[in-house]
Amino acid sequence: MMALDPQSVLSKLNASIPEQITALGYLKNEVIGHIQKKEDWVQHGVLRPIVKIVAPNAYEANEEDARPPFLTLATFTDEDNAKLQALQLLASFANAGPTFLPPLHAAGALPAVLSNSCLRSQHPQIVLAALRVVRGLATAASYAPSSSPISSSSLADTLFIDSPLESLYHILSQRTSSFDNETQASIVAHLIKDLCREERHQSALVSSGILDALATKLASFAVAEGQVLPRAEIIARHEGLEDYIPAPATSASSLDGILGAISSIIGDSPFRACKLLYSPSILAIFPVADIDPTKTSISRFGPNMELPGLRPTKHMNFEPMNLLLPYTQQHPSSHGAIPPPGASRENLGRNGRSTSKYQNSTTSRTPSEETSASNNDADGEEAESPLIPWLIYTIRSKSGSEMLMATSVLTSLFKAGFSYKTREADLGLLVVPVLLGALNDIDTKMKDIDYNNCSRDSVSVLNFIEEAPAILARLITDSESLQKAAFDCNAVKMLCKLLKDSYETPPTLAKSWSWSPHNKSQESINELPPECRLGEEGPHRHSIHRIKVRENALRAIGALATFKDEYRKAIVEQEVVHHIVESLTPSTDNPVSVVLAACYAIRMLSRSVNILRTALVDHAVATPLFQLLRHHDVEVQVAAAASVCNLVMDFSPMRESLVDAGILKALCEHAHSHNAALRLNALWALKHLVHSASVDLKKRAVEELESGWLVRLICDDTEDDALFSARARSEREAVQDTLDDMDEDIDMGLAEDQYRAWLSTSFYKTPATRAHSDVRILRLAETRLETLREAEVSPIRKARHDDLAIQEQGLGFIRNLIGGAHSSSNTDSPNDTTDMIDFLFNTLGQDRLFEILASKLRVKVLHPFSQRGGASPEARILPPQTKIIESVIYILVHIAASIPRHRQLVVSQTELLKQLAKLFNNQDREVRVALCHLINNLTWQDNASDGPGCSQRAQELKNLGFLSKLEALKEGDEELDVRERAKSALWQMKPAY
């Protein structure tokens, strides 16, 4: 083609369609694969005309009536050809990197590409080209500078809203299988995987039906592999789910993208995990039903399907999916057996091919498993979804990103509680070694990667190394057995190596911008329109990779150090403590995410007294942590406050230096924060700071915190009250607005009814010929999902949880203030303890303190939230919480451990003691032990002069029924420790009266 000058190209782009096609073809030949020419043509101003060809009328993006039929056959016109080439050009510019994001944003490329004329086009190739533009923008945004107008979060905000979400749903729900359609679904899945990080986006993807559509795609892979459960089609037909069994996936389908998108949507939410298990396609191909495979025929009605359970305990007699798993000693998989000849084989897929590998298989159980199965028929017990063992099989049979994403989904389901407890052993034997083995193998390939010219395989390797430690951290957190499995698989060495590698001097990296013979001054560039000005160059991809590896390695190291000193010692021996401490200093290479991960790792390591007194002191960890308490980001402050909790303990050599630096003032300020998490962690750290501290420091802590605020922390329901006030104000405003705007009578219950209707109808949005209300199992699932969702997102529950946690730490703070601490560095004398108790009585008020303690033992009636439609208010009754009860009793134990005058004060609190007398049957062992300690201290006789007082106290306790309660504990308590403590208290109490 003859060379065209820029003015001619711009003229043709604004001319007739044939001339547009000519100019677009010329531009494609010019810029594809040539970064410098892309820069030149952007500065010539070609982006806006190209965007105008993609979406000639901007209002089309929101024109509901102008939507063309989705994926219907139509002639491919010259206008469609021009749109396709324009989209291909936009994709080329988007793939050129972050510098092109500002001009693309100014030209309006993203709204044009997301318009209905692109994503709802009749032509698959146009839809695919539009998705490739979005994918290029997402990739560039992942390493764009902070000044970029398009970031990953802003792109997610634009993509995960109503109209684009509906387009994405239709793309994922296409039933016609073709290469273009599968590629579209793959791009959409990877976009969700990379961009979906926030709770609101995850909720939007569930409400729009996209999680169900992804679940159907996932089910199609099981169908393609012939791994549908035996007789699943008969059961599905009986339950009305036969239309939800998908066609087999094709070779063009992307399993890793589907699994990655599902994992991103689920996150750590039990509700969304349950939504995956209750998706119609998953229920259809992985039914939970009690099947007897030894029978040669099956009722045409089939066995009733059950819903998979939360914390399942019911083992079915026939669990064929376990046949895919290796035999393990801890959790034996079922062995196969052949049913008698003539057994029914009613498990053919809709294409006539077998959808199951298990039609001739049954399972045998060990005697113990048979007993377990027979005992699990009790009401209320539920079974595990067969999806769990299928995911374990997928992890072991796949590799690379498919294996990694399957592990991520399995981790979400396991952490949400949807697997058998025995699966924990399976994960340690069958999953953790596979994950760490793959990480070790891929890490050896790192030396061959060219960071200046990353191929698709190289990008896959880098992504695996970034994501694997994060998934491992989620999997092993709070599980001693899985941490042991990881430790035995050499996880410490691998993770520490990754952390060290992230701090090595980076290789020489080529500049991503090109040299140009036309030197333009900054002034002339600033005179150009916004769509002609290139943006700032972002950090190199290798730098982003190092940051992600550093963050996730720190999280995995912290997760591994949760419980065992042996593991913490192994981490320290790898000489990575200085790297962890270095990660506490915010910088370009250590963004907030890295700092938070480093705080977590330090908090876990500081649980070891030995490491706290050696390695952490040697590397001066206190200095950066104290600075982080003043960081501008509240998340960093929360993490830093949690990390200093162990650093201010009495056995920590850093306590004195932190006190001298002013940590007491900083923590007391944070204890006044409006942020509940910061308030909690600051109070927790203060509780540790005053433990075994000098009387002077304790008094300073109370004065700095302010006695009135301390009373509010332990007495008031701050979060609950704030929520109630906000809710009441909102309701008043809503009612007033309604009265102002409407003259006719209205149904005040409408809003509530609409809300509840949205809850149920939004749970399922899968194409089917049968209404969900007609499907029994889906009706049950909707009820279960609604209950789970309301429990998970309830602000009332969260506010109450925050209040209780803060009150527990506030009571613990008082307990440590008056506790008779005896440490090697500071031994409080009885006079010091008495002094602190009297100080608290004078500061807080003696009667007020005892009334607060008594109130913590009573049943509490919380703010009732009125129901719309004239219903009576909901009563919210909260019984005393175990941890609060323990704290109250131990405060009394410490007061009673002082002088006779204080013991007499406790005994004189009749109402308080009556509340305590009701707690001897408490289910918590620690509560019963604490009560025995309290009786011991109250009946203690200091000297002969205290004899009459001791007798009087013992008689008062006997009159209140404490003697009979102790005798019942001594004779009938199931815990030996409780019986011995009760015996000791009785031995001391009886002679006294």
Side-chain angles (χ1 to χ4, degrees):
M1 182 182 291
M2 183 178 64
L4 298 175
D5 62 89
Q7 196 60 43
S8 299
V9 171
L10 290 173
S11 298
K12 287 179 180 293
L13 289 175
N14 292 291
S16 63
I17 290 179
E19 289 188 310
Q20 288 177 354
I21 293 175
T22 301
L24 291 168
Y26 176 78
L27 280 174
K28 283 170 63 178
N29 291 331
E30 279 278 296
V31 304
I32 291 179
H34 202 302
I35 183 70
Q36 182 177 324
K37 288 188 176 180
K38 288 178 184 176
E39 294 173 356
D40 292 340
W41 280 107
V42 166
Q43 292 175 352
H44 288 315
V46 299
L47 287 182
R48 191 173 290 278
I50 293 174
V51 171
K52 188 175 180 181
I53 294 171
V54 171
N57 300 307
Y59 60 82
E60 282 186 6
N62 295 314
E63 189 77 32
E64 293 292 332
D65 296 333
R67 291 180 180 174
F70 190 75
L71 293 180
T72 57
L73 295 177
T75 305
F76 195 74
T77 64
D78 286 346
E79 185 179 355
D80 294 325
N81 186 15
K83 179 175 291 188
L84 177 61
Q85 294 199 49
L87 286 168
Q88 290 169 343
L89 270 170
L90 289 179
S92 180
F93 284 113
N95 289 328
T99 53
F100 290 84
L101 291 178
L104 284 168
H105 174 74
L110 187 56
V113 169
L114 296 180
S115 67
N116 294 324
S117 63
C118 290
L119 293 185
R120 296 294 190 88
S121 173
Q122 306 169 45
H123 305 290
Q125 58 268 49
I126 289 181
V127 179
L128 182 57
L131 289 172
R132 283 173 172 157
V133 177
V134 182
R135 180 178 64 184
L137 293 172
T139 302
S142 65
Y143 59 101
S146 58
S147 60
S148 172
I150 299 179
S151 62
S152 294
S153 59
S154 68
L155 186 56
D157 289 338
T158 306
L159 191 58
F160 300 143
I161 56 176
D162 296 338
S163 182
L165 276 178
E166 194 169 345
S167 299
L168 299 184
Y169 170 75
H170 280 292
I171 291 169
L172 289 170
S173 301
Q174 298 171 82
R175 295 204 171 196
T176 304
S177 181
S178 67
F179 179 80
D180 280 349
N181 290 350
E182 294 297 344
T183 307
Q184 291 171 21
S186 175
I187 293 176
V188 169
H190 279 92
L191 284 172
I192 294 172
K193 171 184 176 290
D194 295 335
L195 296 177
C196 183
R197 292 291 180 269
E198 297 184 30
E199 180 81 22
R200 55 198 174 95
H201 297 149
Q202 293 165 331
S203 298
L205 287 163
V206 171
S207 301
S208 62
I210 286 179
L211 181 57
D212 278 335
L214 290 167
T216 302
K217 289 284 185 184
L218 182 62
S220 70
F221 287 95
V223 173
E225 295 290 334
Q227 293 165 352
V228 177
L229 289 190
R231 301 171 181 172
E233 281 200 324
I234 296 176
I235 300 171
R237 193 179 308 124
H238 170 59
E239 295 287 351
L241 295 176
E242 66 272 19
D243 292 327
Y244 294 102
I245 298 180
T250 66
S251 57
S253 303
S254 169
L255 177 59
D256 65 322
I258 299 300
L259 287 167
I262 289 173
S263 175
S264 293
I265 294 174
I266 293 176
D268 296 319
S269 164
F271 161 70
R272 294 191 292 272
C274 187
K275 184 69 180 72
L276 171 66
L277 296 179
Y278 290 178
S279 292
S281 294
I282 299 297
L283 290 173
I285 70 164
F286 293 136
V288 177
D290 209 352
I291 303 171
D292 186 355
T294 61
K295 291 184 178 180
T296 57
S297 64
I298 186 170
S299 166
R300 66 186 180 93
F301 298 108
N304 282 332
M305 181 186 294
E306 302 175 13
L307 288 175
L310 180 62
R311 298 177 185 86
T313 57
K314 178 180 178 181
H315 287 269
M316 293 294 186
N317 290 315
F318 182 54
E319 294 181 339
M321 197 56 70
N322 284 331
L323 290 166
L324 294 174
L325 306 181
Y327 179 89
T328 61
Q329 190 65 35
Q330 287 86 346
H331 182 69
S333 295
S334 303
H335 298 286
I338 305 298
S344 174
R345 293 186 58 192
E346 304 219 28
N347 40 14
L348 293 181
R350 59 179 58 193
N351 296 333
R353 60 173 288 181
S354 172
T355 58
S356 177
K357 289 181 176 179
Y358 316 111
Q359 58 267 23
N360 292 325
S361 298
T362 183
T363 57
S364 65
R365 294 179 178 272
T366 64
S368 61
E369 287 178 310
E370 289 287 0
T371 303
S372 174
S374 64
N375 290 336
N376 276 334
D377 294 330
D379 291 340
E381 291 195 337
E382 296 172 314
E384 175 190 79
S385 171
L387 179 63
I388 302 291
W390 184 81
L391 285 170
I392 297 176
Y393 167 76
T394 301
I395 292 167
R396 296 183 61 80
S397 60
K398 302 294 183 181
S399 61
S401 58
E402 292 180 338
M403 180 274 292
L404 191 62
M405 292 301 101
T407 307
S408 185
V409 174
L410 178 64
T411 298
S412 293
L413 297 176
F414 169 69
K415 303 301 284 187
F418 287 100
S419 64
Y420 291 134
K421 293 187 72 173
T422 52
R423 288 290 179 205
E424 189 171 22
D426 284 348
L427 298 183
L429 290 169
L430 304 179
V431 174
V432 172
V434 173
L435 177 60
L436 287 169
L439 179 60
N440 185 60
D441 293 341
I442 286 203
D443 186 48
T444 59
K445 301 177 182 177
M446 285 293 293
K447 60 180 181 297
D448 300 325
I449 289 182
D450 180 7
Y451 292 101
N452 295 317
N453 185 23
C454 281
S455 64
R456 180 172 296 181
D457 289 341
S458 297
V459 171
S460 177
V461 168
L462 295 177
N463 288 340
F464 191 100
I465 291 178
E466 291 170 10
E467 295 169 356
I471 294 171
L472 177 68
R474 287 179 58 220
L475 179 61
I476 67 176
T477 297
D478 298 328
S479 172
E480 286 194 53
S481 63
L482 293 183
Q483 289 169 20
K484 182 180 187 305
F487 182 77
D488 292 342
C489 291
N490 213 18
V492 169
K493 186 175 181 180
M494 276 187 268
L495 295 172
C496 291
K497 180 181 182 300
L498 290 176
L499 181 59
K500 290 177 181 178
D501 289 346
S502 73
Y503 273 101
E504 286 185 353
T505 303
T508 303
L509 303 175
K511 300 290 185 183
S512 57
W513 56 87
S514 58
W515 173 85
S516 172
H518 309 294
N519 184 23
K520 293 186 178 181
S521 65
Q522 187 63 41
E523 290 77 10
S524 64
I525 292 175
N526 290 335
E527 293 174 359
L528 295 173
E531 67 270 17
C532 301
R533 292 201 299 265
L534 295 170
E536 297 178 28
E537 184 66 28
H540 197 280
R541 292 189 186 188
H542 177 256
S543 300
I544 300 296
H545 168 72
R546 294 175 67 203
I547 290 172
K548 289 182 178 178
V549 170
R550 184 177 304 163
E551 174 192 347
N552 293 333
L554 285 166
R555 292 195 182 281
I557 287 171
L560 197 57
T562 305
F563 294 116
K564 296 285 188 179
D565 259 5
E566 177 188 0
Y567 308 160
R568 301 185 191 112
K569 181 181 177 183
I571 292 169
V572 172
E573 288 174 350
Q574 290 294 317
E575 299 181 350
V576 293
V577 175
H578 66 288
H579 290 311
I580 299 176
V581 174
E582 188 176 347
S583 301
L584 291 171
T585 304
S587 66
T588 305
D589 286 340
N590 288 333
V592 166
S593 59
V594 172
V595 174
L596 294 176
C599 286
Y600 173 63
I602 291 294
R603 180 158 63 97
M604 296 301 105
L605 289 174
S606 66
R607 290 181 174 181
S608 166
V609 177
N610 182 46
I611 293 173
L612 179 65
R613 298 171 69 97
T614 55
L616 296 184
V617 173
D618 293 343
H619 291 91
V621 71
T623 302
L625 277 179
F626 180 73
Q627 293 171 351
L628 292 178
L629 287 173
R630 302 294 189 183
H631 195 273
H632 61 85
D633 192 313
V634 68
E635 278 192 82
V636 175
Q637 295 176 6
V638 171
S643 297
V644 300
C645 279
N646 290 335
L647 271 60
V648 296
M649 291 291 288
D650 58 304
F651 49 74
S652 169
M654 291 172 272
R655 174 196 262 192
E656 186 176 346
S657 61
L658 284 169
V659 170
D660 292 342
I663 196 170
L664 177 60
K665 182 178 178 62
L667 291 176
C668 289
E669 288 177 1
H670 289 330
H672 286 74
S673 170
H674 293 295
N675 184 287
L678 182 56
R679 205 158 62 241
L680 171 65
N681 286 349
L683 198 55
W684 204 322
L686 283 171
K687 179 186 77 172
H688 287 183
L689 181 63
V690 299
H691 182 261
S692 297
S694 65
V695 172
D696 177 61
L697 180 60
K698 290 178 178 181
K699 291 181 178 180
R700 282 171 48 203
V702 174
E703 292 166 355
E704 191 73 47
L705 184 60
E706 299 174 5
S707 60
W709 184 250
L710 175 59
V711 169
R712 286 190 60 186
L713 288 175
I714 62 175
C715 189
D716 295 349
D717 297 306
T718 308
E719 296 298 308
D720 190 69
D721 289 341
L723 177 64
F724 175 75
S725 301
R727 189 88 160 257
R729 184 169 58 252
S730 175
E731 289 181 357
R732 286 196 303 270
E733 291 172 355
V735 171
Q736 186 60 49
D737 291 343
T738 303
L739 294 174
D740 291 342
D741 296 340
M742 301 183 66
D743 292 330
E744 69 265 17
D745 291 336
I746 60 172
D747 179 7
M748 293 303 291
L750 181 61
E752 183 73 13
D753 293 340
Q754 287 177 339
Y755 169 71
R756 298 187 71 82
W758 176 86
L759 273 178
S760 59
T761 57
S762 65
F763 285 148
Y764 292 112
K765 190 183 175 183
T766 309
T769 59
R770 188 172 180 181
H772 291 99
S773 58
D774 297 335
V775 182
R776 179 193 67 88
I777 197 70
L778 296 186
R779 290 199 307 271
L780 293 176
E782 285 179 350
T783 304
R784 181 82 58 86
L785 286 167
E786 181 177 347
T787 302
L788 195 57
R789 182 186 184 277
E790 288 182 337
E792 182 172 309
V793 303
S794 168
I796 300 171
R797 185 182 296 265
K798 183 180 184 306
R800 191 62 206 152
H801 177 271
D802 291 341
D803 283 332
L804 287 174
I806 290 169
Q807 290 172 19
E808 179 188 344
Q809 297 307 317
L811 291 168
F813 176 72
I814 292 178
R815 173 183 172 182
N816 284 353
L817 282 174
I818 63 177
H822 301 287
S823 70
S824 57
S825 59
N826 174 58
T827 303
D828 283 351
S829 67
N831 289 335
D832 290 337
T833 302
T834 302
D835 185 18
M836 275 309 303
I837 294 173
D838 288 334
F839 175 78
L840 274 181
F841 284 162
N842 294 330
T843 305
L844 304 181
Q846 176 179 301
D847 294 338
R848 189 183 191 188
L849 177 60
F850 282 121
E851 173 53 32
I852 290 173
L853 297 180
S855 70
K856 295 299 156 189
L857 303 179
R858 301 189 191 110
V859 173
K860 188 174 183 62
V861 180
L862 301 176
H863 289 297
F865 286 151
S866 61
Q867 298 295 298
R868 296 180 185 267
S872 59
E874 277 188 24
R876 292 200 294 146
I877 306 300
L878 186 73
Q881 303 298 297
T882 300
K883 291 296 182 182
I884 300 291
I885 292 172
E886 285 182 30
S887 298
V888 168
I889 297 174
Y890 276 113
I891 288 174
L892 297 174
V893 167
H894 289 320
I895 294 175
S898 179
I899 57 177
R901 172 170 57 87
H902 290 153
R903 289 194 278 275
Q904 195 62 44
L905 272 176
V906 174
V907 171
S908 67
Q909 308 300 316
T910 306
E911 290 302 317
L912 177 58
L913 291 177
K914 286 180 179 179
Q915 295 292 335
L916 291 173
K918 301 175 183 178
L919 300 174
F920 278 87
N921 294 326
N922 193 282
Q923 294 182 349
D924 189 87
R925 183 185 70 88
E926 289 301 322
V927 171
R928 303 195 301 274
V929 169
L931 287 169
C932 295
H933 281 304
L934 177 60
I935 302 302
N936 253 323
N937 285 0
L938 288 175
T939 55
W940 178 261
Q941 180 177 329
D942 274 354
N943 47 47
S945 63
D946 186 32
C950 181
S951 298
Q952 182 186 358
R953 293 193 298 270
Q955 187 62 47
E956 288 288 339
L957 292 173
K958 181 183 177 183
N959 294 340
L960 290 170
F962 280 80
L963 182 63
S964 59
K965 301 281 187 181
L966 283 175
E967 288 176 339
L969 286 184
K970 188 191 77 167
E971 299 298 332
D973 200 279
E974 59 185 13
E975 294 286 342
L976 175 62
D977 186 33
V978 176
R979 294 197 300 271
E980 291 300 316
R981 299 287 181 184
K983 187 186 300 183
S984 174
L986 281 169
W987 178 85
Q988 186 164 288
M989 182 179 180
K990 284 183 177 181
Y993 66 86

